[in-house]
Amino acid sequence: MTFSNSGHTVKRFDVEIQQLVNLVLEMGREVEQQVKRAVAVFREGDPVAAQAVIAGDEAVNRWDMEIDRSCVRLLSRRQPMSTDLRLVMALNKAVNDLERIGDEAKTIAEKTLAIHARCGHPPGSIPLAVDRLAAIASQRVESALDSLARLDADQAWLLARTDPVEDAFQDILRALGAYAIDGEWTVATVIDMALALKALQRVADRAQNLAEYVIFVVEGQDVRHAT
């Protein structure tokens, strides 16, 4: 149908838009918790908690499918234009990134299980750089969701223009290399840890994508390859 500017239609459209935004933010909060649980699992090496994180990915996938269907229904029924259209498009893209963040949390948990199965216990110590990377990733996801909730372009620009993740990740790789050379950890364990931490790096990268979608909604700029 053609989108109408009558009071009734606009009011109903606003309600539907807000419901969609609320669904995305609720999914975002769940994904954020999944990442935090995965990081705790990685640090502590708890196989039971790791299995719980892996199982939790199913709920994230259900969010993805439900919100995708809601976006399609809204587009087909309301045919939004201008900022409204950009918002629906951005929410649809954001859901994809949130689902991928959930996948990264699952990867971290799976690698933790592999390390536990090989060693019988988690590695004796975790480099401090791991905590630094986890803090950066969690903060960026939280900031991205906050900017999305408030459609705060200034906050989104700040997130899009800064990228402290790469330096933290390289610090970890150097530390892991030293453990491998010293023979303290097996090469297979070092590789699994590196893959888990690469997944954490991707979480931070996905958070930047979310910020770029906010800029697209508010300013109409597609900055995905310009930041």
Side-chain angles (χ1 to χ4, degrees), residues 1-4 9 75-80:
M1 70 181 254
T2 301
F3 181 72
S4 169
T9 304
L75 288 171
S76 62
R77 291 172 56 194
R78 300 298 181 185
Q79 299 182 14

Side-chain angles (χ1 to χ4, degrees), residues 73-197:
R73 284 196 301 267
L74 189 58
L75 288 171
S76 62
R77 291 172 56 194
R78 300 298 181 185
Q79 299 182 14
M81 297 185 296
S82 189
T83 302
D84 293 328
L85 177 59
R86 293 200 302 270
L87 177 57
V88 177
M89 292 173 60
L91 291 173
N92 199 26
K93 289 178 179 292
V95 167
N96 179 67
D97 279 283
L98 290 173
E99 191 274 333
R100 294 300 179 88
I101 289 175
D103 287 344
E104 302 300 353
K106 179 181 178 182
T107 295
I108 294 169
E110 288 173 340
K111 295 306 175 185
T112 298
L113 285 179
I115 292 169
H116 187 279
R118 186 181 303 111
C119 304
H121 55 80
S125 62
I126 300 294
L128 291 178
V130 171
D131 289 334
R132 177 185 167 207
L133 180 59
I136 291 171
S138 294
Q139 187 277 329
R140 287 175 76 81
V141 171
E142 183 178 350
S143 179
L145 291 173
D146 183 56
S147 68
L148 178 61
R150 298 184 295 109
L151 290 181
D152 187 334
D154 290 336
Q155 183 175 349
W157 271 115
L158 181 62
L159 189 62
R161 285 172 170 157
T162 57
D163 184 13
V165 178
E166 183 61 29
D167 288 344
F169 181 67
Q170 292 301 322
D171 287 345
I172 294 173
L173 289 185
R174 284 190 288 270
L176 291 179
Y179 281 114
I181 291 172
D182 292 344
E184 184 172 345
W185 299 342
T186 66
V187 173
T189 295
V190 170
I191 290 173
D192 279 336
M193 291 190 69
L195 291 174
L197 293 164

